[in-house]
Amino acid sequence: MPLWYRFYRFLDRSASQGLRGLRVTVTPGGCDVMEGGALSSLETPALVVDLDKVKRNVQTMKERCEGGGVRLRPHMKTHKTLECADIMTGGSRRCIVVSTLAEACFYGDHGYDDILYAYPLPFDKVERCATLSERLDLFQVLLDHPEALERLRRRPLAGGRLWHVWLKLDCGNGRAGVLHSDAGAVQLAQAIAGAEGVELTGVYAHCGNTYYCKGVEQIQAVAQETTDLTLQFMEKLKAVGITCKSSIGSTPSCSHPVKDMSRLSEVHPGNYVFYDMQQSLIGSCSLEDVAVRVLTRVIGHCPHRNQLLIDCGWCGLSQDGSGKLPTGYAVIEGHPNLKLASMTQEHGRVEPLSGALDFGRYPLGALLQLIPYHACATAMMHPVYHVHSGGRLLGQWRPTRGW
């Protein structure tokens, strides 16, 4: 069954069954938000997180990795909160990946350790990395260039501590990393392993090219290729006397892992905790797994344009995914004939996919729910996440921000 067919069946089912939170309701703005209150009590735009789905997604990934015999090192980049990190680590506060030094400091300040800063070493942040390396039991950095290694050598750590370094390998993703087939990759690994005050901890590859896939077969083909190239590189290292860890990851590849991934040391997915429309279209998850929504209200009727105005612009959603959905920048849950056609900073323009808009169904103040295309980008637009279970508010999560 094609993904888009399943997608529209989900929307039609949501609309016809009147699932909680999918009906259009009119509520006064500016109400105090109380624990146990309804989602409709929130001012908009608001990012809401379904705690039950978060826990289910986390448990599913945990069991998948345990069953495959590979260690899970969850990535924090999607949510950047303590509460969600505690769920993903099972309360251990150990063995995580971050994408910014701000995240590393945030988690380190709150009792987390064994943190991998999985970003090519920024030269302007070497001193901050050194501080974390000297303070935590295990802080790890990543590099893909000899000059980055030289920067670490010029900044020896206090007390005889070692820099723990992962080599970033490009196995076809085409972003950061030294190319797996480049002779310089093994040479750089040897240089890291032989440098004074430095330890080669592992080899790290991101199979972000799974984001161009459609369906399990394509996802697993990329996962297999990335796994094979990483393991082949590990054999090259072994041939020159080097042994270290190996890690690959992306949410699509870890949602549908191949058997050979069990031969790796670790995997490092992150988006799976929330999932999103993009992951649903790729085939990583079903729409029922997506744990986040953006609540928005109708603030204007424009019959001369056959459009509604809503109070969510790109500041509340992001523009990621532009042109990739027939429903515009997001999916308007329970309303399969509506399209979020365009956005400015604080406004969204909604129009029907076909026909005349029935403005009577969407009075001013009507509440709509947007399923974001990319949860990581949408979450970055919000200073607070409103957490709920079964549509009843439980509390708030506040993410860290910055670089």
Side-chain angles (χ1 to χ4, degrees):
M1 183 184 297
L3 288 171
W4 276 114
Y5 182 74
R6 296 205 309 268
F7 160 61
Y8 276 112
R9 284 195 61 189
F10 173 84
L11 291 181
D12 286 332
R13 187 167 67 251
S14 297
S16 64
Q17 292 179 349
L19 298 178
R20 182 183 289 111
L22 303 187
R23 297 192 185 109
V24 178
T25 57
V26 181
T27 58
C31 297
D32 291 335
V33 177
M34 303 291 290
E35 185 174 324
L39 297 183
S40 58
S41 66
L42 294 170
E43 292 186 353
T44 52
L47 183 75
V48 296
V49 177
D50 187 323
L51 183 61
D52 301 316
K53 291 184 178 182
V54 164
K55 289 182 175 180
R56 187 179 71 207
N57 292 342
V58 167
Q59 183 63 26
T60 298
M61 186 63 74
K62 177 176 178 288
E63 292 174 356
R64 188 179 290 132
C65 292
E66 287 176 348
V70 64
R71 187 183 194 190
L72 173 62
R73 181 182 290 273
H75 210 308
M76 303 293 107
K77 71 181 186 70
T78 299
H79 60 88
K80 307 189 185 204
T81 67
L82 288 174
E83 296 87 349
C84 200
D86 282 346
I87 294 171
M88 294 176 86
T89 62
S92 71
R93 298 201 164 189
R94 295 293 184 273
C95 193
I96 63 172
V97 189
V98 298
S99 60
T100 68
L101 203 52
E103 294 166 55
C105 293
F106 174 71
Y107 288 113
D109 288 344
H110 288 87
Y112 277 74
D113 215 313
D114 188 358
I115 300 172
L116 169 54
Y117 176 30
Y119 193 84
L121 180 71
F123 294 174
D124 60 318
K125 298 179 176 69
V126 170
E127 191 56 38
R128 289 172 64 194
C129 289
T131 299
L132 282 170
S133 295
E134 291 169 348
R135 179 161 67 90
L136 301 179
D137 287 340
L138 184 56
F139 177 70
Q140 302 150 88
V141 298
L142 179 148
L143 60 80
D144 60 3
H145 196 279
E147 179 59 26
L149 175 59
E150 181 59 26
R151 295 295 177 117
L152 297 183
R153 291 182 64 254
R154 292 181 200 168
R155 189 9 181 127
L157 299 176
R161 283 176 170 252
L162 298 176
W163 284 103
H164 296 279
V165 175
W166 289 70
L167 173 65
K168 181 62 180 287
L169 199 65
D170 181 358
C171 293
N173 182 43
R175 195 171 65 181
V178 58
L179 193 61
H180 66 92
S181 57
D182 190 335
V186 173
Q187 293 170 5
L188 181 54
Q190 290 177 299
I192 296 169
E196 185 177 354
V198 179
E199 174 195 87
L200 177 60
T201 304
V203 173
Y204 186 102
H206 174 54
C207 42
N209 39 340
T210 51
Y211 280 75
Y212 301 103
C213 294
K214 288 289 187 289
V216 175
E217 184 177 349
Q218 290 184 19
I219 291 171
Q220 291 189 327
V222 173
Q224 186 67 59
E225 180 183 41
T226 305
T227 301
D228 289 345
L229 293 176
T230 301
L231 291 173
Q232 289 167 19
F233 187 77
M234 301 308 293
E235 289 300 315
K236 293 179 184 178
L237 295 187
K238 194 176 296 184
V240 295
I242 296 174
T243 57
C244 62
K245 295 179 182 179
S246 57
S247 180
I248 74 163
S250 70
T251 284
S253 63
C254 294
S255 296
H256 297 292
V258 295
K259 184 177 180 181
D260 284 338
M261 287 171 65
S262 64
R263 298 167 59 193
L264 300 165
S265 307
E266 301 179 354
V267 292
H268 49 259
N271 176 275
Y272 71 93
V273 69
F274 285 170
Y275 282 125
D276 49 35
M277 273 306 306
Q278 178 178 221
Q279 296 291 348
S280 173
L281 296 177
I282 291 169
S284 306
C285 67
S286 70
L287 276 171
E288 287 84 356
D289 297 322
V290 180
V292 290
R293 304 289 189 273
V294 175
L295 302 186
T296 183
R297 284 187 169 87
V298 176
I299 59 170
H301 288 171
C302 308
H304 58 292
R305 295 198 308 266
N306 200 32
Q307 288 182 335
L308 303 170
L309 278 184
I310 59 174
D311 64 359
C312 181
W314 51 258
C315 275
L317 189 66
S318 93
Q319 289 188 317
D320 204 356
S322 173
K324 296 182 179 179
L325 295 171
T327 53
Y329 289 88
V331 168
I332 303 177
E333 193 164 22
H335 301 278
N337 194 45
L338 292 185
K339 175 181 181 178
L340 180 53
S342 65
M343 295 182 292
T344 56
Q345 185 167 332
E346 302 294 350
H347 299 77
R349 298 184 183 94
V350 174
E351 61 189 36
L353 289 173
S354 61
L357 191 58
D358 180 1
F359 290 94
R361 290 191 63 197
Y362 310 102
L364 297 188
L367 188 68
L368 300 173
Q369 296 199 29
L370 308 179
I371 309 178
Y373 179 79
H374 189 181
C376 307
T378 296
M380 274 298 297
M381 313 308 285
H382 292 264
V384 60
Y385 312 155
H386 301 278
V387 183
H388 71 95
S389 175
R392 291 293 168 181
L393 294 168
L394 300 174
Q396 298 177 338
W397 294 349
R398 297 186 180 275
T400 191
R401 290 290 181 251
W403 292 271

